[in-house]
Amino acid sequence: MSVTPQDFDLDAWLDGADRPERSVTVYQKAGLIADLDRLAEQIQNADEDEVDGPSMGGGVGKLRAEYARIAAQFHESALTVRVAGHSDEEKRDFATANPDLAPSELGGVVLANAIKVPTITPAQVKRLEKKIGPAQFGLILNAYHQASTEIPSVSADFLPKRSTPDDGGE
């Protein structure tokens, strides 16, 4: 059954509408990247050394096992943060409702409201920023900015491309 303009129920559509949201992944154990960098270099050097013969002490196998162990720790520390955007009017409403807050404190209130998963307080937003650092926190801010200002769209660029006879494929 197709819907015609005369049959369309805007109220039902609006009842099912939701605001744009974005998500990003941040890592509790981001410092492990330094260990992974060091091991990657050792593995590369060990691979080059083994051209002339096997190295002593278990060689590259132990290094690769250690790399895998640390990489698993890194990935297990992942946290997906989901944020919703705010309109300019909503942002002004936060400022009006909190006139005594400094801009950075107000930003924490706004972002705590925007973060849908996990539930977070303004004080935790400030602590999160200090603990995960500016690069990862910037991912969260960027996701918030996108949810607030960009038109929602779906990108499937990561999916494999299909080849058909019509587009020159087999």
Side-chain angles (χ1 to χ4, degrees), residues 46-64:
D47 282 341
E48 291 169 4
D49 289 345
E50 287 196 2
V51 170
D52 298 327
S55 60
M56 302 297 287
V60 78
K62 281 187 177 179
L63 293 172
R64 286 189 173 129

Side-chain angles (χ1 to χ4, degrees), residues 108-129:
V109 170
V110 171
L111 196 55
N113 180 269
I115 295 174
K116 301 304 177 189
V117 177
T119 302
I120 190 169
T121 67
Q124 289 171 320
V125 168
K126 186 175 182 177
R127 187 168 176 227
L128 177 68
E129 180 179 14

Side-chain angles (χ1 to χ4, degrees), residues 24-133:
V24 294
T25 302
V26 295
Y27 296 90
Q28 178 190 41
K29 301 291 183 188
L32 292 175
I33 294 297
D35 296 330
L36 293 170
D37 290 343
R38 177 184 48 81
L39 284 166
E41 182 179 1
Q42 289 176 344
I43 290 167
Q44 184 176 359
N45 291 340
D47 282 341
E48 291 169 4
D49 289 345
E50 287 196 2
V51 170
D52 298 327
S55 60
M56 302 297 287
V60 78
K62 281 187 177 179
L63 293 172
R64 286 189 173 129
E66 180 68 0
Y67 188 96
R69 184 185 69 74
I70 293 173
Q73 284 180 335
F74 173 76
H75 288 290
E76 288 166 4
S77 77
L79 172 68
T80 299
V81 178
R82 186 177 179 127
V83 298
H86 290 118
S87 67
D88 289 341
E89 181 180 351
E90 290 168 324
K91 293 174 191 175
R92 283 190 298 275
D93 289 346
F94 279 110
T96 302
N98 299 284
D100 297 332
L101 293 182
S104 64
E105 293 172 314
L106 181 60
V109 170
V110 171
L111 196 55
N113 180 269
I115 295 174
K116 301 304 177 189
V117 177
T119 302
I120 190 169
T121 67
Q124 289 171 320
V125 168
K126 186 175 182 177
R127 187 168 176 227
L128 177 68
E129 180 179 14
K130 286 183 179 186
K131 295 299 274 185
I132 67 172

Side-chain angles (χ1 to χ4, degrees), residues 3 22-23 118 146:
V3 176
R22 301 298 297 238
S23 67
Q146 289 175 327

